[in-house]
Amino acid sequence: MRSLSKKQRISALAASAALVVAGVTAGTATAGPADEGSTAKAGAQAAPMSAAQKTQAIKKADSASAKAADAKALGLGSKEKLQVRDVIKNQDGATHVRYERTFDGMPVLGGDMVVHKSKSGEHTGVTKSTKADIKVSTKGVSKAEKPATPKAKGSKAPRQIVFALTGKPVLAWETVKGGTQKSGAPSELHVITDAKSGKKLFEFQGIHEADGTGASQYSGEVKLSTDGADGKFTLSDKSRGGSKTTNLENGESGDGKDFTDEDNKWGTGKPDDPQTAAVDAHYGAQQTWDFFKEEFKREGIAGDGKGAPSRVHYGDNYVNAFWDDSCFCMTYGDGEGNKKPLTSLDVAAHEMSHGVTSTTAKLVYAGESGGLNEATSDIFAAATEFHAPENKEDVADFHVGEEIDINGDGTPLRYMDKPSKDGNSLDEWSDKAGDVDVHYSSGIANHWFFLMSMGSGKSEKNGVEYDSPTSDGSTIEGIGITKAQQIWFKALTENMTANTDYKAAREATVKASNDLFGADSAETKAVEAAWTAVAVK
């Protein structure tokens, strides 16, 4: 990752409409109610699946006969094999099987696909990362010629892969470089090099971090799910897959030490009490779990019924928080002077949503797909805030990181109504979007989501005022956050793949809206109008 100035680091917190366009509706758009119910077709929405049902569905899809049938239907070559990563089942019985692909035993980066089937098992379509045929030759390339393994802590030996994220699939090496990023976060930089020429083809960061300078945390009195009995309670949540929050005690590795408490009353609301950061982190994990379960029937971040650990008090004066796929966990630093832990609800929901992306579309963290990855986390962070119990200390809004006050002047890190207000993010798409830092190119989808939810022009919700422009001067009327988040989730989990760009994201959300509300519905017209309003055509 490139070096960032202090101001840029502040703005890089990790981490997307309407019915009509100008001429049809005049005047200021009214605010779409964020808590508006949805009229989406029940059959097109995800069906609830217990952990056992999810396991059984994956096992069935992963059977040799099922994969052979799908491979034949897709016309795959004899050297291509499918590996099931996830299965989504809709209430009407339709299924969406997400596959990874290998070629001659090698992983294919960009070979992922989603096979769509009707209730009867009939193939109804497929969404692929690449439409190119996977045909590469290993002739003249020896495994002994692999790149040297970096010495930094956390590095991994190169593995031979087929690189198919962009252009013609080629034989390549994937090397993971460990160590520490300039921001202080751990590094898992995946570098892809051509196996024959040695030329670098691509790179992306495996650690999705939140950069900042810290802020005090206080969300008022919150309810926590804990475990234990009088004299020894722990921050373990058996009702949410065994989620737990632990204390790293300023260390930078390991699982952390259990917090314990005698009376099950945690923290003081002040950062000098080590429990306070744990309260916010544990609360954030609870609310994020509840959001995905109650809104999308997704049991856990990975959809497997298992909890994702949270670790607090990472490092010393560590002004960061990050999600790490390798431990499938969330980690929080204590901020500047160890007095401002980065544990606000939207930070927790944002980072944990990276885990949802990594187990569904797996949007590569670079270029336009990286911007969509970051936007997905901002979108679900805002949606989680609106879903959570009303909190007068932190009202639900369409801002990112407003509570942690990293800028030091009370302003948010990012604005979804007009992303450029942060000085870096993009309001609309251009052919340069793929060259912009992913935290800033995310503004395009964030803006789309705001227009979908609240509409263009001036609006207000929970006492927070917004003023959202459109690139084409159109007037957009919001349809509410409930419908908007349903469309984004369905598109992410069923129609997006590793290298989805903004044009493909438009197609994915249109398809999702067609399934949920109908091809000629007001909602689908809204999706198209909002994308046009951010210059994605």
Side-chain angles (χ1 to χ4, degrees):
M1 181 178 288
R2 63 185 176 83
S3 176
L4 301 176
S5 68
K6 181 178 181 181
K7 180 178 180 181
Q8 288 172 319
R9 290 199 306 272
I10 286 173
S11 300
L13 176 66
S16 11
L19 173 58
V20 294
V21 296
V24 180
T25 296
T28 301
T30 58
D35 56 355
E36 178 185 352
S38 175
T39 55
K41 298 175 185 176
Q45 299 182 62
M49 296 177 72
S50 66
Q53 290 171 327
K54 170 74 86 169
T55 299
Q56 183 60 32
I58 291 176
K59 183 178 180 180
K60 180 180 179 180
D62 203 34
S63 68
S65 59
K67 291 190 293 187
D70 283 350
K72 182 178 180 180
L74 294 167
L76 301 186
S78 60
K79 291 186 177 182
E80 295 178 83
K81 303 297 180 185
L82 296 174
Q83 299 175 340
V84 177
R85 177 145 59 86
D86 194 20
V87 176
I88 297 291
K89 185 175 182 179
N90 291 349
Q91 293 177 24
D92 61 6
T95 57
H96 309 273
V97 182
R98 186 175 291 274
Y99 284 115
E100 297 284 4
R101 192 172 5 169
T102 62
F103 177 85
D104 201 16
M106 296 178 289
V108 180
L109 185 57
D112 58 308
M113 64 183 76
V114 186
V115 176
H116 311 290
K117 301 179 183 180
S118 66
K119 181 179 181 180
S120 64
E122 180 183 357
H123 285 77
T124 57
V126 62
T127 303
K128 296 182 177 181
S129 266
T130 179
K131 296 180 180 179
D133 291 335
I134 306 297
K135 293 179 180 179
V136 299
S137 173
T138 58
K139 186 177 180 180
V141 179
S142 169
K143 289 191 175 182
E145 298 172 350
K146 63 185 178 182
T149 305
K151 303 299 181 183
K153 181 181 178 182
S155 297
K156 298 178 182 178
R159 65 172 184 168
Q160 204 164 61
I161 67 168
V162 176
F163 178 69
L165 276 175
T166 60
K168 181 180 178 181
V170 297
L171 191 67
W173 290 104
E174 179 185 28
T175 303
V176 178
K177 297 182 178 180
T180 303
Q181 299 181 52
K182 291 184 181 299
S183 64
S187 178
E188 287 185 7
L189 184 66
H190 295 244
V191 180
I192 314 299
T193 55
D194 189 296
K196 295 183 178 180
S197 69
K199 178 183 177 181
K200 186 170 80 170
L201 302 173
F202 197 73
E203 69 176 36
F204 63 93
Q205 180 57 246
I207 296 290
H208 307 153
E209 61 168 322
D211 289 67
T213 57
S216 62
Q217 298 301 305
Y218 188 72
S219 296
E221 293 296 319
V222 296
K223 294 182 179 180
L224 299 176
S225 292
T226 61
D227 190 32
D230 288 346
K232 191 175 182 180
F233 291 96
T234 62
L235 289 174
S236 299
D237 189 349
K238 290 184 177 180
S239 66
R240 296 179 177 84
S243 300
K244 66 186 304 184
T245 302
T246 59
N247 188 358
L248 285 173
E249 300 180 300
N250 304 120
E252 297 182 358
S253 61
D255 296 331
K257 181 180 178 181
D258 282 344
F259 283 95
T260 61
D261 191 83
E262 293 185 358
D263 61 4
N264 213 16
K265 295 180 180 179
W266 303 81
T268 62
K270 298 184 181 299
D272 57 359
D273 182 341
Q275 289 188 0
T276 297
V279 168
D280 286 321
H282 203 64
Y283 176 70
Q286 286 182 182
Q287 294 306 319
T288 304
W289 174 289
D290 291 351
F291 165 71
F292 283 105
K293 179 179 179 179
E294 293 168 13
E295 295 294 331
F296 309 121
K297 313 304 180 187
R298 187 177 183 84
E299 188 89 9
I301 300 303
D304 59 1
K306 298 178 181 178
S310 297
R311 308 182 301 173
V312 298
H313 304 307
Y314 175 92
D316 184 33
N317 289 291
Y318 184 68
V319 191
N320 250 320
F322 59 88
W323 172 267
D324 186 349
D325 277 341
S326 64
C327 64
F328 213 73
C329 68
M330 181 65 207
T331 305
Y332 301 89
D334 285 326
E336 187 174 337
N338 291 323
K339 294 181 179 180
K340 300 177 180 179
L342 282 78
T343 49
S344 67
L345 175 57
D346 59 355
V347 171
H350 172 109
E351 296 301 336
M352 290 181 177
S353 293
H354 279 304
V356 175
T357 299
S358 74
T359 51
T360 56
K362 208 171 185 177
L363 293 160
V364 172
Y365 206 60
E368 290 192 24
S369 62
L372 288 165
N373 189 319
E374 273 297 306
T376 295
S377 285
D378 281 352
I379 286 170
F380 290 143
T384 299
E385 280 196 354
F386 279 105
H387 178 271
E390 183 179 352
N391 188 336
K392 295 181 180 179
E393 302 292 335
D394 181 10
V395 298
D397 55 35
F398 290 92
H399 295 157
V400 181
E402 71 283 354
E403 286 298 306
I404 56 178
D405 190 25
I406 286 178
N407 295 323
D409 57 5
T411 60
L413 290 180
R414 288 197 289 277
Y415 304 79
M416 300 182 84
D417 61 326
K418 187 177 181 181
S420 61
K421 286 172 67 176
D422 67 14
N424 294 292
S425 293
L426 303 181
D427 288 337
E428 60 193 56
W429 184 87
S430 75
D431 58 7
K432 303 295 185 182
D435 300 325
V436 177
D437 184 282
V438 298
H439 300 95
Y440 307 144
S441 62
S442 63
I444 302 164
N446 282 348
H447 193 188
W448 172 87
F449 186 75
F450 181 86
L451 292 171
M452 284 286 291
S453 302
M454 296 289 288
S456 61
K458 294 182 179 181
S459 57
E460 178 271 332
K461 187 68 179 178
N462 291 342
V464 181
E465 297 182 350
Y466 306 101
D467 193 354
S468 191
T470 57
S471 67
D472 58 354
S474 61
T475 299
I476 303 295
E477 184 177 343
I479 63 173
I481 193 171
T482 299
K483 292 178 180 179
Q485 70 195 27
Q486 285 179 325
I487 291 168
W488 191 262
F489 182 80
K490 189 173 180 68
L492 176 78
T493 57
E494 297 179 14
N495 304 322
M496 293 187 189
T497 59
N499 62 345
T500 293
D501 58 14
Y502 271 104
K503 180 180 179 180
R506 175 177 175 139
E507 295 170 355
T509 50
V510 168
K511 185 178 187 305
S513 185
N514 285 345
D515 291 344
L516 288 168
F517 302 104
D520 295 322
S521 65
E523 290 80 8
T524 295
K525 293 176 182 177
V527 171
E528 295 173 325
W531 279 123
T532 301
V534 295
V536 178
K537 302 176 181 179

